[in-house]
Amino acid sequence: MADPDSRLRVAIVDAYGRPARVPGLAAWLAAVAPRRARGQVTVALVSDARMRALNRTYRKQDYATDVLSFAVRKRGREPFSRRQMRKKAPNPFFSLGDIVIARGVAAKQAREAGHALRTELRVLALHGLLHLIGYDHERDRGRMARLEARLRRRGGLREGLIERAR
């Protein structure tokens, strides 16, 4: 049995950091997460307006996107590398960072995909988690897409964000 301190711990919050009720999302994400995703992660569910502001500030894109990931960084440096995260993983209080999901965009995408909002939140949270641990589907020649597909199958999801964009 795995050491309980070595697993991923997930908190689901609203835009103000208050606990948000999304039954099963935290447990599902912790269960499907790759082994290297250890420590803590926060999933914040925000309004589309808040997401638009975040997207404009951090990505210079003036629209509400579906999910953003904010990896923990050393002051003024790049996010922790995978090697650095492995070294920090034994610390159960190590924070990987935050995943921010736009509620309205997620609901719209769920309707378009023909599945429940709960499913869409899982798709988005998994995608955000992979970015937090260093994957980048725009630059990694398919590594993130392959891992995401494997984790989705483990978690019972039919399709992910990367497949939709193709």
Side-chain angles (χ1 to χ4, degrees):
M1 183 169 192
D3 175 4
D5 287 338
S6 69
R7 294 178 296 188
L8 181 68
R9 285 185 314 289
V10 181
I12 312 294
V13 301
D14 66 14
Y16 302 101
R18 300 175 299 210
R21 183 165 160 66
V22 182
L25 179 59
W28 179 87
L29 188 58
V32 301
R35 284 186 307 187
R36 76 177 67 125
R38 295 177 184 160
Q40 299 180 3
V41 64
T42 300
V43 178
L45 304 175
V46 304
S47 69
D48 291 359
R50 180 68 182 138
M51 178 61 91
R52 182 177 179 178
L54 290 169
N55 202 22
R56 187 174 43 240
T57 299
Y58 294 102
R59 295 182 62 229
K60 311 300 181 216
Q61 302 291 318
D62 192 17
Y63 63 92
T65 191
D66 48 9
V67 61
L68 290 175
S69 297
F70 295 93
V72 169
R73 297 172 183 261
K74 294 179 191 173
R75 182 177 286 193
R77 296 188 179 169
E78 292 297 309
F80 290 109
S81 69
R82 286 188 212 138
R83 177 182 290 167
Q84 290 169 320
M85 284 195 293
R86 276 194 299 273
K87 288 181 180 176
K88 293 184 176 298
N91 177 353
F93 302 106
F94 175 67
S95 176
L96 294 172
D98 301 326
I99 300 166
V100 181
I101 296 174
R103 290 185 317 253
V105 174
K108 179 178 179 245
Q109 290 180 177
R111 285 190 301 274
E112 291 171 355
H115 57 228
L117 176 59
R118 178 180 112 165
T119 301
E120 187 66 18
L121 293 175
R122 289 178 176 185
V123 168
L124 297 173
L126 178 60
H127 189 85
L129 177 64
L130 294 181
H131 278 298
L132 281 185
I133 62 174
Y135 288 92
D136 184 349
H137 56 90
E138 294 178 2
R139 299 184 188 148
D140 67 6
R141 293 183 281 171
R143 287 188 63 209
M144 181 175 170
R146 289 187 296 275
L147 178 59
E148 186 179 277
R150 190 170 64 243
L151 298 173
R152 280 187 294 102
R153 281 192 298 275
R154 182 191 307 170
L157 296 178
R158 195 179 55 211
E159 89 177 2
L161 284 184
I162 297 171
E163 285 80 18
R164 284 187 208 159
R166 291 181 182 163

